[in-house]
Amino acid sequence: MKLRFCITGILLVCFSGTSLAITVLENAGFEDGSTGRSVSIPGWISIDTPDVIEAGGLNDGGTPIQPDFILGSGIGSSPDGGNMALLRNAPFMGAVEEIQQEISGFTLGTNYRVSFYLANAGQEEFREGLPNQDGNGRIEVSLFSSVKQTDTVVFEGFGSQSWGLQSFDFVATAESSTLGLKAAGFPEMGGSSETARLAIDGVSVEVSPVPLPASFVLLSSAFATLRFLKRRTSRRGLEPQPQSMCDV
């Protein structure tokens, strides 16, 4: 019993500083507000003119039969479902789109994980002489004055866009910070166009999973050894003892 209380106390000391609280983002799945080109996205600050679309894409202009172009033509829903934000990077047009959100409630020195679903949505063109926007690209993630990048996301074809989960860890250096998600990486990323449109959905910021410290693993091994020795001692106490010559 004393051993159990001792181990419990050690575990409390080891993990007393670990928080499991989740930082809640506003409109993380882009369901609030309307879909459309260059729309206001509740809860987010828009840099340049990001769009919000739903699965299947967004017909912009023209008619349902002959649109001018379709944003994210044929794209399926992300695992988060519903709407998605669309960010474009077209350096030759001076368009570098980004969304930002101010977050507070961070604990200094704590690791936080930023996660979101990402797909290369593209833009299918129907206007004569204009190419599809189907370049490759990536997303820059910024938090606590630190910037990280996703791997290159290759355009896979209209109707064949696939979603992937992206995750990045940041150490809190302030109690509040601005989360930024920006389309980046053109035109050096390649593709048949210098412009690409990247879809984002299901953004989250939460405390990073804390791996078990080496001291805990060592403690577990020691505890298992002590239990084995205790059982062995108990069994010996139950075994009949050999009689000595004096007892005969």
Side-chain angles (χ1 to χ4, degrees):
M1 186 64 70
K2 290 182 180 180
L3 180 61
R4 291 181 181 176
F5 281 131
C6 179
I7 292 175
T8 301
I10 294 174
L11 290 178
L12 288 175
V13 171
C14 291
F15 297 103
S16 59
T18 301
S19 171
L20 298 179
I22 295 177
T23 302
V24 179
L25 287 173
E26 183 178 352
N27 196 19
F30 310 105
E31 303 306 321
D32 299 339
S34 60
T35 60
R37 287 200 64 204
S38 308
V39 295
S40 174
I41 307 176
W44 296 88
I45 299 172
S46 296
I47 308 299
D48 211 322
T49 56
D51 314 304
V52 176
I53 68 172
E54 57 188 7
L58 177 69
N59 176 2
D60 189 83
T63 67
I65 298 176
Q66 184 59 55
D68 288 340
F69 58 87
I70 301 178
L71 300 171
S73 179
I75 191 170
S77 297
S78 79
D80 189 61
N83 299 336
M84 62 198 78
L86 211 58
L87 304 180
R88 175 183 58 160
N89 186 303
F92 67 95
M93 297 176 59
V96 180
E97 297 176 348
E98 180 180 7
I99 53 175
Q100 300 177 347
Q101 186 167 152
E102 182 72 18
I103 308 172
S104 59
F106 292 112
T107 301
L108 293 176
T110 300
N111 290 310
Y112 289 88
R113 177 161 296 175
V114 177
S115 300
F116 55 92
Y117 294 106
L118 174 64
N120 192 328
Q123 173 179 310
E124 188 173 13
E125 277 286 352
F126 295 92
R127 293 172 292 183
E128 185 177 355
L130 294 179
N132 293 328
Q133 296 183 10
D134 56 1
N136 304 330
R138 55 180 175 244
I139 292 292
E140 287 186 356
V141 186
S142 58
L143 188 67
F144 304 120
S145 301
S146 179
V147 179
K148 301 185 178 183
Q149 294 185 342
T150 67
D151 292 334
T152 302
V153 184
V154 177
F155 182 73
E156 300 170 292
F158 296 110
S160 300
Q161 304 97 323
S162 61
W163 291 90
L165 179 63
Q166 309 289 323
S167 295
F168 300 91
D169 289 344
F170 297 85
V171 178
T173 58
E175 295 181 353
S176 63
S177 182
T178 299
L179 170 65
L181 300 170
K182 180 173 70 174
F186 306 96
E188 72 275 9
M189 303 308 299
S192 61
S193 169
E194 291 186 347
T195 302
R197 293 185 180 272
L198 302 177
I200 293 176
D201 199 12
V203 186
S204 67
V205 179
E206 60 185 12
V207 176
S208 301
V210 180
L212 292 176
S215 57
F216 178 77
V217 177
L218 181 61
L219 178 63
S220 299
S221 299
F223 182 43
T225 303
L226 288 174
R227 289 186 61 187
F228 171 76
L229 293 175
K230 185 177 180 180
R231 288 180 181 176
R232 188 175 180 183
T233 303
S234 299
R235 290 176 182 174
R236 284 185 175 180
L238 295 176
E239 292 176 356
Q241 300 297 320
Q243 293 182 333
S244 66
M245 293 297 294
C246 296
D247 296 332
V248 177

